[in-house]
Short mmCIF file of all heavy atoms in Angstrom, two decimals:
data_model
loop_
_atom_site.label_atom_id
_atom_site.label_comp_id
_atom_site.label_asym_id
_atom_site.label_seq_id
_atom_site.Cartn_x
_atom_site.Cartn_y
_atom_site.Cartn_z
N CYS B 1 -29.69 -13.31 20.74
CA CYS B 1 -29.13 -13.84 21.99
C CYS B 1 -30.16 -13.94 23.11
O CYS B 1 -30.26 -14.85 23.78
CB CYS B 1 -27.92 -13.02 22.49
SG CYS B 1 -26.42 -13.19 21.51
N GLU B 2 -31.06 -12.87 23.14
CA GLU B 2 -32.18 -13.03 24.03
C GLU B 2 -33.12 -14.01 23.76
O GLU B 2 -33.70 -14.71 24.66
CB GLU B 2 -32.93 -11.65 24.08
CG GLU B 2 -32.05 -10.43 24.64
CD GLU B 2 -32.69 -9.13 24.44
OE1 GLU B 2 -33.78 -9.05 23.73
OE2 GLU B 2 -32.23 -8.06 24.85
N GLN B 3 -33.25 -14.34 22.50
CA GLN B 3 -34.30 -15.39 22.05
C GLN B 3 -33.76 -16.76 22.22
O GLN B 3 -34.51 -17.70 22.31
CB GLN B 3 -34.65 -15.08 20.59
CG GLN B 3 -35.44 -13.86 20.32
CD GLN B 3 -35.30 -13.42 18.87
OE1 GLN B 3 -34.52 -13.86 18.09
NE2 GLN B 3 -36.25 -12.45 18.46
N THR B 4 -32.48 -17.00 22.13
CA THR B 4 -31.91 -18.32 22.11
C THR B 4 -31.01 -18.66 23.32
O THR B 4 -30.66 -19.82 23.47
CB THR B 4 -30.99 -18.47 20.88
OG1 THR B 4 -29.90 -17.54 20.89
CG2 THR B 4 -31.85 -18.17 19.58
N GLY B 5 -30.61 -17.73 24.08
CA GLY B 5 -29.66 -17.96 25.11
C GLY B 5 -28.22 -17.91 24.76
O GLY B 5 -27.22 -18.25 25.44
N ALA B 6 -27.96 -17.58 23.37
CA ALA B 6 -26.56 -17.46 22.99
C ALA B 6 -25.93 -16.26 23.57
O ALA B 6 -26.62 -15.45 24.18
CB ALA B 6 -26.57 -17.42 21.48
N LYS B 7 -24.58 -16.04 23.40
CA LYS B 7 -23.84 -15.03 23.94
C LYS B 7 -23.25 -14.16 22.85
O LYS B 7 -22.69 -14.70 21.93
CB LYS B 7 -22.76 -15.60 24.86
CG LYS B 7 -21.84 -14.60 25.53
CD LYS B 7 -20.78 -15.20 26.36
CE LYS B 7 -19.78 -14.27 26.98
NZ LYS B 7 -18.65 -14.91 27.67
N LEU B 8 -23.28 -12.91 23.16
CA LEU B 8 -22.59 -11.92 22.18
C LEU B 8 -21.22 -11.59 22.66
O LEU B 8 -20.98 -11.15 23.83
CB LEU B 8 -23.43 -10.57 22.07
CG LEU B 8 -22.97 -9.61 21.00
CD1 LEU B 8 -23.26 -10.22 19.56
CD2 LEU B 8 -23.69 -8.28 21.21
N VAL B 9 -20.23 -11.81 21.82
CA VAL B 9 -18.86 -11.65 22.11
C VAL B 9 -18.29 -10.52 21.19
O VAL B 9 -18.59 -10.40 20.04
CB VAL B 9 -17.96 -12.88 21.94
CG1 VAL B 9 -16.56 -12.65 22.17
CG2 VAL B 9 -18.52 -13.97 22.72
N VAL B 10 -17.53 -9.53 21.85
CA VAL B 10 -17.04 -8.38 21.10
C VAL B 10 -15.52 -8.38 21.01
O VAL B 10 -14.82 -8.39 22.04
CB VAL B 10 -17.51 -7.09 21.73
CG1 VAL B 10 -17.12 -5.90 20.92
CG2 VAL B 10 -19.08 -7.10 21.86
N ALA B 11 -14.99 -8.43 19.76
CA ALA B 11 -13.57 -8.17 19.58
C ALA B 11 -13.26 -6.68 19.65
O ALA B 11 -13.90 -5.86 19.00
CB ALA B 11 -13.07 -8.76 18.22
N PRO B 12 -12.35 -6.25 20.53
CA PRO B 12 -12.09 -4.96 20.84
C PRO B 12 -11.43 -4.04 19.81
O PRO B 12 -10.72 -4.57 18.84
CB PRO B 12 -11.16 -4.89 22.06
CG PRO B 12 -10.44 -6.22 21.95
CD PRO B 12 -11.35 -7.27 21.24
N MET B 13 -11.75 -2.84 19.79
CA MET B 13 -11.17 -1.78 18.85
C MET B 13 -10.03 -1.11 19.55
O MET B 13 -10.19 -0.86 20.77
CB MET B 13 -12.32 -0.86 18.42
CG MET B 13 -11.79 0.34 17.54
SD MET B 13 -13.25 1.38 17.17
CE MET B 13 -13.76 1.98 18.80
N ASP B 14 -8.99 -0.71 18.90
CA ASP B 14 -7.97 0.04 19.50
C ASP B 14 -8.14 1.49 19.34
O ASP B 14 -9.16 1.96 18.80
CB ASP B 14 -6.59 -0.45 18.94
CG ASP B 14 -6.33 -0.13 17.44
OD1 ASP B 14 -7.03 0.81 16.97
OD2 ASP B 14 -5.53 -0.85 16.75
N ASP B 15 -7.20 2.25 19.82
CA ASP B 15 -7.36 3.71 19.87
C ASP B 15 -7.17 4.42 18.50
O ASP B 15 -7.32 5.68 18.37
CB ASP B 15 -6.42 4.34 20.93
CG ASP B 15 -6.95 3.99 22.35
OD1 ASP B 15 -8.15 3.75 22.52
OD2 ASP B 15 -6.12 4.02 23.34
N ARG B 16 -6.76 3.67 17.45
CA ARG B 16 -6.72 4.16 16.12
C ARG B 16 -8.08 3.95 15.43
O ARG B 16 -8.26 4.41 14.34
CB ARG B 16 -5.62 3.58 15.35
CG ARG B 16 -4.25 3.81 15.79
CD ARG B 16 -3.14 3.16 14.86
NE ARG B 16 -3.48 1.78 14.69
CZ ARG B 16 -2.81 1.03 13.83
NH1 ARG B 16 -1.80 1.53 13.05
NH2 ARG B 16 -3.02 -0.24 13.67
N GLY B 17 -8.90 3.20 16.01
CA GLY B 17 -10.16 2.80 15.40
C GLY B 17 -10.04 1.63 14.51
O GLY B 17 -10.88 1.46 13.68
N ASP B 18 -9.05 0.88 14.82
CA ASP B 18 -8.86 -0.41 14.04
C ASP B 18 -9.26 -1.62 14.98
O ASP B 18 -9.25 -1.46 16.24
CB ASP B 18 -7.40 -0.51 13.61
CG ASP B 18 -7.18 -1.39 12.32
OD1 ASP B 18 -8.21 -2.00 11.92
OD2 ASP B 18 -6.14 -1.44 11.85
N VAL B 19 -9.47 -2.79 14.39
CA VAL B 19 -9.66 -4.01 15.14
C VAL B 19 -8.59 -5.03 14.79
O VAL B 19 -8.64 -5.61 13.69
CB VAL B 19 -11.11 -4.59 14.78
CG1 VAL B 19 -11.35 -5.86 15.54
CG2 VAL B 19 -12.21 -3.55 15.10
N PRO B 20 -7.60 -5.19 15.72
CA PRO B 20 -6.60 -6.07 15.46
C PRO B 20 -7.12 -7.57 15.20
O PRO B 20 -7.98 -7.97 15.88
CB PRO B 20 -5.76 -6.06 16.71
CG PRO B 20 -6.05 -4.71 17.35
CD PRO B 20 -7.46 -4.55 16.97
N LEU B 21 -6.58 -8.16 14.18
CA LEU B 21 -6.92 -9.45 13.74
C LEU B 21 -6.72 -10.47 14.98
O LEU B 21 -7.55 -11.48 15.13
CB LEU B 21 -6.15 -9.93 12.59
CG LEU B 21 -6.77 -11.11 11.65
CD1 LEU B 21 -8.07 -10.79 11.27
CD2 LEU B 21 -5.88 -11.34 10.57
N ALA B 22 -5.64 -10.27 15.76
CA ALA B 22 -5.39 -11.14 16.81
C ALA B 22 -6.47 -11.20 17.87
O ALA B 22 -6.79 -12.17 18.46
CB ALA B 22 -4.04 -10.71 17.47
N GLY B 23 -7.17 -10.03 18.08
CA GLY B 23 -8.25 -9.96 18.95
C GLY B 23 -9.50 -10.70 18.50
O GLY B 23 -10.19 -11.33 19.34
N ILE B 24 -9.70 -10.81 17.26
CA ILE B 24 -10.74 -11.64 16.65
C ILE B 24 -10.43 -13.11 16.83
O ILE B 24 -11.17 -13.94 17.24
CB ILE B 24 -11.01 -11.25 15.13
CG1 ILE B 24 -11.57 -9.81 15.13
CG2 ILE B 24 -11.91 -12.31 14.50
CD1 ILE B 24 -11.71 -9.39 13.73
N GLU B 25 -9.17 -13.45 16.44
CA GLU B 25 -8.74 -14.83 16.52
C GLU B 25 -8.71 -15.41 17.95
O GLU B 25 -9.11 -16.51 18.17
CB GLU B 25 -7.32 -14.95 15.93
CG GLU B 25 -6.87 -16.40 15.81
CD GLU B 25 -5.51 -16.52 15.11
OE1 GLU B 25 -4.80 -15.46 14.95
OE2 GLU B 25 -5.11 -17.67 14.67
N ALA B 26 -8.46 -14.50 18.94
CA ALA B 26 -8.50 -14.92 20.27
C ALA B 26 -9.74 -15.33 20.81
O ALA B 26 -9.95 -16.00 21.79
CB ALA B 26 -7.76 -13.86 21.14
N ARG B 27 -10.82 -14.71 20.19
CA ARG B 27 -12.19 -14.91 20.66
C ARG B 27 -12.97 -15.90 19.85
O ARG B 27 -14.20 -16.12 20.16
CB ARG B 27 -12.93 -13.48 20.74
CG ARG B 27 -12.44 -12.63 21.85
CD ARG B 27 -12.71 -11.18 21.70
NE ARG B 27 -12.16 -10.39 22.80
CZ ARG B 27 -10.98 -10.15 23.00
NH1 ARG B 27 -9.94 -10.34 22.02
NH2 ARG B 27 -10.59 -9.39 24.01
N LEU B 28 -12.36 -16.47 18.90
CA LEU B 28 -13.08 -17.52 18.12
C LEU B 28 -12.82 -18.86 18.87
O LEU B 28 -11.73 -19.12 19.39
CB LEU B 28 -12.38 -17.63 16.79
CG LEU B 28 -12.81 -16.59 15.70
CD1 LEU B 28 -11.94 -16.66 14.48
CD2 LEU B 28 -14.30 -16.83 15.30
N GLY B 29 -13.80 -19.70 18.84
CA GLY B 29 -13.69 -20.96 19.48
C GLY B 29 -14.73 -21.94 18.98
O GLY B 29 -15.55 -21.64 18.13
N LYS B 30 -14.86 -23.14 19.62
CA LYS B 30 -15.80 -24.14 19.20
C LYS B 30 -17.27 -23.68 19.41
O LYS B 30 -18.16 -24.23 18.74
CB LYS B 30 -15.54 -25.44 19.98
CG LYS B 30 -15.62 -25.35 21.47
CD LYS B 30 -15.32 -26.74 22.15
CE LYS B 30 -15.48 -26.57 23.64
NZ LYS B 30 -16.91 -26.20 24.13
N ASN B 31 -17.45 -22.73 20.28
CA ASN B 31 -18.78 -22.17 20.49
C ASN B 31 -19.24 -21.11 19.54
O ASN B 31 -20.42 -20.66 19.52
CB ASN B 31 -19.01 -21.75 21.96
CG ASN B 31 -18.88 -22.73 22.88
OD1 ASN B 31 -19.30 -23.95 22.59
ND2 ASN B 31 -18.33 -22.49 24.05
N THR B 32 -18.37 -20.55 18.71
CA THR B 32 -18.71 -19.45 17.80
C THR B 32 -19.43 -19.98 16.66
O THR B 32 -18.86 -20.84 15.94
CB THR B 32 -17.42 -18.73 17.33
OG1 THR B 32 -16.53 -18.39 18.48
CG2 THR B 32 -17.69 -17.50 16.53
#
C-alpha cells in the first residue's frame, strides 16, 4: 500500500474471535 497508494481494508473480528462473513462481503467492492 505504501509503494502503490492502495488502501488496506480490514474486515472486523467479533468477541468470539470469529470473522463474520457478512463483514467481509460488506467490504468487497469494485476497488478490491
Side-chain angles (χ1 to χ4, degrees):
C1 287
E2 292 172 358
Q3 293 160 345
T4 64
K7 178 183 177 183
L8 189 67
V9 178
V10 182
M13 176 178 61
D14 64 24
D15 290 336
R16 299 183 303 173
D18 208 354
V19 178
L21 200 58
I24 294 174
E25 186 171 15
R27 287 160 179 80
L28 283 166
K30 60 182 178 62
N31 294 327
T32 309

